[in-house]
Amino acid sequence: VKKKVMSFFDMYTHNMCRVSVCVPRVVLGDAMANAAEIGRLYKEACREGAAVVLFPELCICGYALDDLLQQDAILDECLEALRILKKVTIDCRGLLIVGSPLRITGRLYNCGIVMAGGETLGVIPKSYPPNFREFYEGRYFISAAAAPPETFWLDNDRKIPFGNHLIFKCIDNPTFCFGVEICQDVWVPIPPSTYQALAGATILLNLSASNITI
């Protein structure tokens, strides 16, 4: 097979990577509307040559839902929104990383979901849900540390890797290797991204959001 010759002026020739950080206008509790906006911004970033397109924490449903996060109607719609976005990635080359609540083995996690090529590649749960001042995620979410060993997310009967230890590496370019953590995780003395970097990650991604308007 003839190897593709890349232009000298292509940033990927020089082992550089374009990462897009997108901030959608989120509609609280309306996962379908949010999926449409996320899909639009994702496609736009891919057209601009992004290899990774990162969205905020809990962008599928909105951060400030409080006890509504535990409602089946909200969680079911989030799953449908994720299915829609997974299909959107079929025709685009960029990785899509979004935030959503996920209920796994009866426990609710604040997760980052990595998608590409019409597939879900992995799910990263938040390690340190804040439970102070205006934040009380401990009311709804379980920490990644509390997940039983060998936990996975079942997506259409396919076992999806789950955990804060996951590292994603590009087959065609091994130097393109990234890890994912969520918001508060980066503020602890030794965040998950430290271990990810030691394990070989060259890009560290953090999904963040807040219930405070600035």
Side-chain angles (χ1 to χ4, degrees), residues 16 31 55 62-63 68 86 89 117 132 145 152 169-170 188 203 205:
M16 299 179 72
F55 284 84
Y63 185 94
L68 290 176
K86 187 170 62 173
T89 66
F132 52 83
F152 58 86
K169 182 178 289 187
C170 178
V188 302
I203 302 172
L205 303 169

Side-chain angles (χ1 to χ4, degrees), residues 130-173:
N131 214 49
F132 52 83
R133 295 201 302 270
E134 70 272 21
F135 301 104
Y136 41 99
E137 287 188 33
R139 181 180 172 92
Y140 327 111
F141 295 118
I142 293 293
S143 165
E150 306 301 324
T151 298
F152 58 86
W153 182 44
L154 197 61
D155 181 22
N156 287 337
D157 296 326
R158 179 170 170 259
K159 293 182 178 180
I160 306 300
F162 176 92
N164 60 1
H165 63 286
L166 299 182
I167 302 292
F168 301 85
K169 182 178 289 187
C170 178
I171 295 176
D172 298 326
N173 182 3

Side-chain angles (χ1 to χ4, degrees), residues 7-22:
S7 167
F8 176 83
F9 299 101
D10 188 324
M11 65 188 299
Y12 294 101
T13 302
H14 308 284
N15 279 337
M16 299 179 72
C17 174
R18 176 168 289 162
V19 178
S20 290
V21 177
C22 299

Side-chain angles (χ1 to χ4, degrees), residues 73-150:
I74 292 288
L75 297 175
D76 290 345
E77 193 170 72
C78 287
L79 291 177
E80 182 59 29
L82 291 173
R83 282 190 284 267
I84 290 171
L85 289 171
K86 187 170 62 173
K87 292 179 181 178
V88 172
T89 66
I90 293 175
D91 299 321
C92 298
R93 294 186 62 186
L95 288 152
L96 173 61
I97 305 170
V98 297
S100 177
L102 286 179
R103 187 165 50 200
I104 301 173
T105 61
R107 297 179 171 189
L108 190 62
Y109 297 89
N110 181 348
C111 296
I113 298 96
V114 181
M115 305 177 185
E119 299 288 344
T120 302
L121 304 183
V123 174
I124 302 88
K126 192 171 186 175
S127 298
Y128 299 95
N131 214 49
F132 52 83
R133 295 201 302 270
E134 70 272 21
F135 301 104
Y136 41 99
E137 287 188 33
R139 181 180 172 92
Y140 327 111
F141 295 118
I142 293 293
S143 165
E150 306 301 324

Side-chain angles (χ1 to χ4, degrees), residues 63-64 134-135 209-214:
Y63 185 94
E134 70 272 21
F135 301 104
S210 176
N211 53 355
I212 298 299
T213 301
I214 301 176

Side-chain angles (χ1 to χ4, degrees), residues 8 11-12 26 31-32 37 60 66 72 102 144 182 184 195:
F8 176 83
M11 65 188 299
Y12 294 101
V26 173
M32 293 298 103
E37 176 67 358
I60 295 294
D66 296 339
D72 289 345
L102 286 179
I182 302 176
Q184 180 69 21
Y195 297 103

